[in-house]
Amino acid sequence: MMDISVLPAPQRFGTMYEVLRHWAGETPRSPALLEHGRPPLAFCDLLRSTDAMGAALNRWGFGRNDRIAVVHPGGRDMAAAIIGIWSYATPVPLNPDSTLGEFALHLRDMRVTAVAILADMDTAARRAAIDLDLPILDLRPDGHGGMMLTATTRAHAPSDAHAGPVQPDDIIAVLATSGTTSHSKIVPIRHRQLTARNEIAAADLGLTPGDRGLNMLRLYHSGGLGQGISTPLIAGSSVAVLTDFSVEGIFEALDTEQVTWCAASYAVYHAIHPHLKTYRPAIERIASRLRFMRSGTGPLNATVAEDVEAAFGVPIVVTYGTSEAGSSTSDPPDRPRPDRSSVGKRGHRGVEILDDTGKPLPPGATGEIAVRGPTVFDGYENDDAANRIAFIGEWFRTGDLGYFDDDGYLFVTGRIKEMINRGGQNITPVEIDDALLAHPDVIAASAFPVPHPTLGEDVAAAIVTRNGAPLDHRALSQFLRGRLAEYKIPRQLFFTAEIPKGPTDKVQRHTLADVFADTPVAPANAEGAPNRKPSAMERRLQDLWAAALGRDHVGLDDDFFQLGGDSLQAVQLFLQIEKRLGHPLPRSVLFEAGTVAAMAKHIETATSTGCVVPIRPDGRRPPLFCVHDINGEVLNFRPLAQRLDADQPVYGIQSAGLDGTEPPLVRIEDMAARYITEMRRVQPSGPYSIGGYSMGGWIAYEMAQQLSQIGQSVALLALFDTTPRQTSGRAPLSKWLGHHRRRLSELQPVDIGPYLAQRVRNMGEIATIKARGKLFSTAWRMAEERGKSIPALLYRPAEANLMAVRSYHPKPYDGDAVLFKAEPYAWMAADAHEGWQTLIGGTLEIRSVPGQHDDLLEEPNVRDLARALSDCLSRRPDRAVSPRPVGRKSPRTARQNGPTPPG
């Protein structure tokens, strides 16, 4: 019998739609959903957009329990769309980065009825829906802070059978326990089950309408919809939705959103842990209003938890749960667990440790964790065999091993299931096996989890090749791209003559990490000797790499990007290399010397990197050359290169002098001449495809001029949000002030102070940059006028580039160009880009792309930019544009395009 102490209180709400109507009536103007830089969306406005969305669904023949896939990059708009759909149908949020095959399996396995996609979003989901003959709905902002459905390719006949708001027994979510493959087990969750989970969680956390949460969980995860969104809403409180998952974005959101608590995956805490000292001032501001932090989706490292709690001065509330039963344990925020290795207390939940016969075990005894009660799902969909295994009596068997201590705290000791949990992303090993076995030289493969310092687990694979065929990590990773999402590609590969099997002749994945623990990992580069003794320089670099990447050890031939390195970690690494070794390096060295061994060789031989950097040199098409921005670096072009066709080579052109061995150039004409010389070593003759981001657009423009003058043709001149010198680019002061007056009038009083403070910080940064640029220019001119060599103190490419822009006077160009125009900032003039029409003598094609200037090359905006750029490249890969005689104008026809329509 169930102990009365673990029985939850009677449910207050039957559906999440009842929750929304309740709070829209009780506190209509209270904020429900928040996002940085936007006015709050109040409960009453959320209800209005929800009802409008429900009316549209019913009008098109969709209703309760119809499954509507939601494909959206995330943020508050995605949350509003999901809430609108779950009030009248069943939303199925999907990872927008899934491949075509993954989308097809998602839609098939989850029995999706229609697909709702953010209008104009570049996603394989659209093609998958067409292939499966599913209706496609367009999601758009409704102009009042909410979302609406505006179109459908095909609708059902309207019916009253399932019209109207949802009922408690209707399904609110459909989850896949093992990823989106043919091996998935489908978990339908009913409204009454989710509201039961939310009410228990909100009571445990002591949430009130005055709380403000921050959801740092992806909305296509069950945790994002549950503890991240619906738990705070059931308490009538507001929740901000994180859109930037970088370390910098996480701290900015915590600092600016005035939150009293936050929900995140354990991987988020692992990611911010190395940066606690760097963000100490922000943490001190955050800690003054924060009550607690919540962690879930996997095991939180005890040391990380202790350090984060000490830094913020608040407890991290850990939970343990499953898709099938929700959170089964939790910590009371005011009573931190005594043992950090615990995953919380059972509280008002029916959770026990069972033996093999289904009998509860006493405290201290290890067995399978099982759950029962109103939070547990009714069973897997159309899978009687799985249900017979998953349930024993009224208990749901989680497949995890653990024990309770005498005080009711749960400790998880192992996993029965095979799924790999990479930073909260659940990955089915069989899916990776199948992708590897598709390679003609692979005859056996078995994926398995290996420990990772920040993600918890990462993906590895043991591989047997046909007749010992030579394969390397790079070749296999390239083969898997397009077949698997990026996060599913194994980071460690072990080539073996035979994959070990257990006594029943089956591979035991949970043992493979131990089996291969002492086996050298196949290097990400084909070069290298894993077993050789490292040199003194290599040992020092290994330590610096390990610290930057948060790893215990880095091999000589481990690739920086394959180890999960990102641009922020690259910055930290190179700052430490310059500080400890006294050797400045451009970030682009990672493209040419992306391993410890290669970087050590680069430093020891003092090899100059040069200006042209191979970001992705492989491919049969003519290369694309991308010119640096004001900072002189090209690492920011990597996401764009990854999004382009696999057969498209991409090279970056970085500033001269980044490695500190030569003075930078201070004239755009000189830069263009230098870059052309180096570019022609890669591609001796045209037609050339060149592009530049921001200031780099001017250099690319000058390169096109100089190429024409020497008889070389330009197939594509791409300007990535470069504003012409003929316009100031700045809006009148009255417009700028008016914009901020409107923003201030839309903010809550508590948000006004941080908003004004951020504006002051922005103006201070601009003033600092201008002052630094003037000092640099003055010092440089003085050295030139006195006939002295430029001192090493002035080997500063960023300041040199700023000086170059200010002195550049462009001449008209008698060729074509494509301007990729980002969304303007408030301070920008309406005609900020119009000056190009007087400079481009040929056709100026203008393509508007999502995102603003600073995040144009970042996810998710880079996807749309890459798609538009790919369209331009595919139209002109081999077309030679004959250079026109200098000074001769051709007819100019400017063409204005919006975002590229989905193909």
Side-chain angles (χ1 to χ4, degrees), residues 442-471:
V442 176
I443 59 174
S446 183
F448 59 93
V450 290
H452 188 279
T454 57
L455 299 171
E457 291 180 347
D458 208 345
V459 186
I463 297 169
V464 180
T465 61
R466 191 180 309 278
N467 298 322
L471 283 177

Short mmCIF file of all heavy atoms in Angstrom, two decimals, residues 442-471:
data_model
loop_
_atom_site.label_atom_id
_atom_site.label_comp_id
_atom_site.label_asym_id
_atom_site.label_seq_id
_atom_site.Cartn_x
_atom_site.Cartn_y
_atom_site.Cartn_z
N VAL A 442 32.82 -0.21 -43.27
CA VAL A 442 32.52 -0.54 -41.88
C VAL A 442 31.64 -1.78 -41.85
O VAL A 442 30.56 -1.80 -42.45
CB VAL A 442 31.82 0.64 -41.16
CG1 VAL A 442 31.43 0.23 -39.74
CG2 VAL A 442 32.74 1.85 -41.13
N ILE A 443 32.09 -2.83 -41.16
CA ILE A 443 31.31 -4.08 -41.11
C ILE A 443 30.69 -4.30 -39.73
O ILE A 443 29.79 -5.14 -39.59
CB ILE A 443 32.17 -5.29 -41.49
CG1 ILE A 443 33.37 -5.43 -40.56
CG2 ILE A 443 32.62 -5.18 -42.93
CD1 ILE A 443 34.18 -6.71 -40.79
N ALA A 444 31.15 -3.58 -38.70
CA ALA A 444 30.56 -3.69 -37.37
C ALA A 444 30.80 -2.38 -36.64
O ALA A 444 31.85 -1.77 -36.78
CB ALA A 444 31.15 -4.86 -36.58
N ALA A 445 29.80 -1.97 -35.86
CA ALA A 445 29.92 -0.70 -35.13
C ALA A 445 29.03 -0.75 -33.90
O ALA A 445 27.93 -1.32 -33.93
CB ALA A 445 29.54 0.49 -36.01
N SER A 446 29.50 -0.15 -32.83
CA SER A 446 28.70 -0.08 -31.60
C SER A 446 29.01 1.23 -30.90
O SER A 446 30.14 1.47 -30.46
CB SER A 446 29.02 -1.26 -30.68
OG SER A 446 28.20 -1.22 -29.53
N ALA A 447 28.00 2.08 -30.82
CA ALA A 447 28.16 3.37 -30.12
C ALA A 447 27.92 3.17 -28.63
O ALA A 447 27.12 2.33 -28.22
CB ALA A 447 27.18 4.39 -30.68
N PHE A 448 28.59 3.99 -27.82
CA PHE A 448 28.44 3.88 -26.37
C PHE A 448 28.83 5.21 -25.73
O PHE A 448 29.52 6.03 -26.34
CB PHE A 448 29.30 2.73 -25.82
CG PHE A 448 30.77 2.86 -26.10
CD1 PHE A 448 31.65 3.46 -25.19
CD2 PHE A 448 31.30 2.36 -27.29
CE1 PHE A 448 33.00 3.57 -25.45
CE2 PHE A 448 32.67 2.47 -27.56
CZ PHE A 448 33.52 3.08 -26.63
N PRO A 449 28.39 5.43 -24.48
CA PRO A 449 28.73 6.70 -23.82
C PRO A 449 30.09 6.64 -23.14
O PRO A 449 30.51 5.61 -22.64
CB PRO A 449 27.61 6.82 -22.77
CG PRO A 449 27.24 5.42 -22.44
CD PRO A 449 27.43 4.64 -23.71
N VAL A 450 30.78 7.79 -23.14
CA VAL A 450 32.01 7.95 -22.38
C VAL A 450 31.86 9.20 -21.51
O VAL A 450 31.14 10.13 -21.87
CB VAL A 450 33.24 8.09 -23.30
CG1 VAL A 450 33.55 6.78 -23.99
CG2 VAL A 450 33.04 9.20 -24.32
N PRO A 451 32.50 9.26 -20.36
CA PRO A 451 32.36 10.43 -19.49
C PRO A 451 32.88 11.69 -20.16
O PRO A 451 33.86 11.66 -20.92
CB PRO A 451 33.21 10.07 -18.26
CG PRO A 451 33.33 8.58 -18.30
CD PRO A 451 33.33 8.21 -19.74
N HIS A 452 32.22 12.82 -19.87
CA HIS A 452 32.64 14.12 -20.38
C HIS A 452 32.56 15.12 -19.24
O HIS A 452 31.57 15.12 -18.48
CB HIS A 452 31.74 14.55 -21.55
CG HIS A 452 32.23 15.78 -22.26
ND1 HIS A 452 32.00 17.05 -21.78
CD2 HIS A 452 32.93 15.93 -23.41
CE1 HIS A 452 32.54 17.93 -22.61
NE2 HIS A 452 33.11 17.28 -23.60
N PRO A 453 33.54 16.02 -19.09
CA PRO A 453 33.59 16.89 -17.91
C PRO A 453 32.47 17.91 -17.83
O PRO A 453 32.10 18.33 -16.74
CB PRO A 453 34.95 17.59 -18.03
CG PRO A 453 35.31 17.48 -19.48
CD PRO A 453 34.73 16.17 -19.94
N THR A 454 31.90 18.33 -18.97
CA THR A 454 30.83 19.33 -18.92
C THR A 454 29.50 18.78 -19.41
O THR A 454 28.44 19.19 -18.94
CB THR A 454 31.20 20.57 -19.76
OG1 THR A 454 31.46 20.16 -21.11
CG2 THR A 454 32.41 21.25 -19.19
N LEU A 455 29.52 17.85 -20.36
CA LEU A 455 28.29 17.31 -20.91
C LEU A 455 27.76 16.13 -20.10
O LEU A 455 26.62 15.71 -20.30
CB LEU A 455 28.50 16.88 -22.36
CG LEU A 455 28.90 17.98 -23.35
CD1 LEU A 455 29.28 17.36 -24.68
CD2 LEU A 455 27.78 18.98 -23.51
N GLY A 456 28.57 15.59 -19.23
CA GLY A 456 28.16 14.39 -18.50
C GLY A 456 28.56 13.15 -19.26
O GLY A 456 29.32 12.31 -18.77
N GLU A 457 28.03 12.99 -20.47
CA GLU A 457 28.39 11.89 -21.35
C GLU A 457 28.62 12.43 -22.75
O GLU A 457 28.01 13.42 -23.16
CB GLU A 457 27.27 10.83 -21.40
CG GLU A 457 27.09 10.05 -20.11
CD GLU A 457 25.97 9.01 -20.21
OE1 GLU A 457 25.18 9.07 -21.18
OE2 GLU A 457 25.89 8.16 -19.31
N ASP A 458 29.51 11.78 -23.47
CA ASP A 458 29.72 12.09 -24.88
C ASP A 458 29.65 10.78 -25.66
O ASP A 458 29.60 9.70 -25.08
CB ASP A 458 31.06 12.79 -25.09
CG ASP A 458 31.03 13.71 -26.31
OD1 ASP A 458 30.10 13.57 -27.13
OD2 ASP A 458 31.93 14.55 -26.44
N VAL A 459 29.64 10.91 -26.97
CA VAL A 459 29.43 9.75 -27.84
C VAL A 459 30.77 9.20 -28.30
O VAL A 459 31.63 9.93 -28.79
CB VAL A 459 28.58 10.14 -29.07
CG1 VAL A 459 28.25 8.89 -29.89
CG2 VAL A 459 27.30 10.84 -28.63
N ALA A 460 30.93 7.89 -28.15
CA ALA A 460 32.08 7.17 -28.69
C ALA A 460 31.56 5.99 -29.50
O ALA A 460 30.38 5.63 -29.40
CB ALA A 460 33.01 6.71 -27.57
N ALA A 461 32.44 5.39 -30.29
CA ALA A 461 32.02 4.22 -31.06
C ALA A 461 33.21 3.31 -31.29
O ALA A 461 34.33 3.77 -31.55
CB ALA A 461 31.41 4.64 -32.40
N ALA A 462 32.94 2.01 -31.18
CA ALA A 462 33.92 0.99 -31.55
C ALA A 462 33.58 0.52 -32.96
O ALA A 462 32.41 0.28 -33.28
CB ALA A 462 33.86 -0.17 -30.57
N ILE A 463 34.61 0.37 -33.81
CA ILE A 463 34.38 0.11 -35.23
C ILE A 463 35.30 -0.99 -35.71
O ILE A 463 36.50 -1.03 -35.39
CB ILE A 463 34.63 1.40 -36.06
CG1 ILE A 463 33.62 2.48 -35.67
CG2 ILE A 463 34.55 1.13 -37.56
CD1 ILE A 463 33.94 3.83 -36.23
N VAL A 464 34.75 -1.88 -36.51
CA VAL A 464 35.51 -2.91 -37.22
C VAL A 464 35.40 -2.60 -38.70
O VAL A 464 34.30 -2.47 -39.24
CB VAL A 464 34.97 -4.32 -36.93
CG1 VAL A 464 35.79 -5.37 -37.68
CG2 VAL A 464 34.98 -4.61 -35.43
N THR A 465 36.55 -2.47 -39.38
CA THR A 465 36.54 -2.15 -40.81
C THR A 465 36.74 -3.40 -41.66
O THR A 465 37.30 -4.40 -41.20
CB THR A 465 37.63 -1.12 -41.15
OG1 THR A 465 38.91 -1.67 -40.82
CG2 THR A 465 37.42 0.17 -40.37
N ARG A 466 36.30 -3.32 -42.90
CA ARG A 466 36.39 -4.43 -43.83
C ARG A 466 37.85 -4.67 -44.23
O ARG A 466 38.51 -3.79 -44.77
CB ARG A 466 35.55 -4.12 -45.08
CG ARG A 466 35.35 -5.31 -46.01
CD ARG A 466 34.50 -4.90 -47.21
NE ARG A 466 33.28 -4.23 -46.78
CZ ARG A 466 32.17 -4.86 -46.37
NH1 ARG A 466 32.17 -6.19 -46.33
NH2 ARG A 466 31.11 -4.18 -46.00
N ASN A 467 38.35 -5.85 -43.89
CA ASN A 467 39.73 -6.23 -44.22
C ASN A 467 40.74 -5.19 -43.72
O ASN A 467 41.77 -4.94 -44.37
CB ASN A 467 39.89 -6.40 -45.74
CG ASN A 467 39.00 -7.51 -46.29
OD1 ASN A 467 38.81 -8.54 -45.63
ND2 ASN A 467 38.44 -7.29 -47.47
N GLY A 468 40.43 -4.59 -42.58
CA GLY A 468 41.34 -3.61 -42.01
C GLY A 468 41.49 -2.34 -42.83
O GLY A 468 42.54 -1.69 -42.81
N ALA A 469 40.45 -1.98 -43.59
CA ALA A 469 40.52 -0.81 -44.46
C ALA A 469 40.90 0.43 -43.65
O ALA A 469 40.40 0.63 -42.54
CB ALA A 469 39.17 -0.58 -45.14
N PRO A 470 41.80 1.26 -44.17
CA PRO A 470 42.23 2.46 -43.42
C PRO A 470 41.14 3.53 -43.42
O PRO A 470 40.72 4.00 -44.46
CB PRO A 470 43.47 2.93 -44.19
CG PRO A 470 43.25 2.43 -45.59
CD PRO A 470 42.49 1.13 -45.46
N LEU A 471 40.68 3.88 -42.23
CA LEU A 471 39.72 4.97 -42.05
C LEU A 471 40.22 5.85 -40.92
O LEU A 471 40.91 5.38 -40.03
CB LEU A 471 38.33 4.43 -41.69
CG LEU A 471 37.49 3.83 -42.82
CD1 LEU A 471 36.19 3.28 -42.26
CD2 LEU A 471 37.19 4.87 -43.89
#
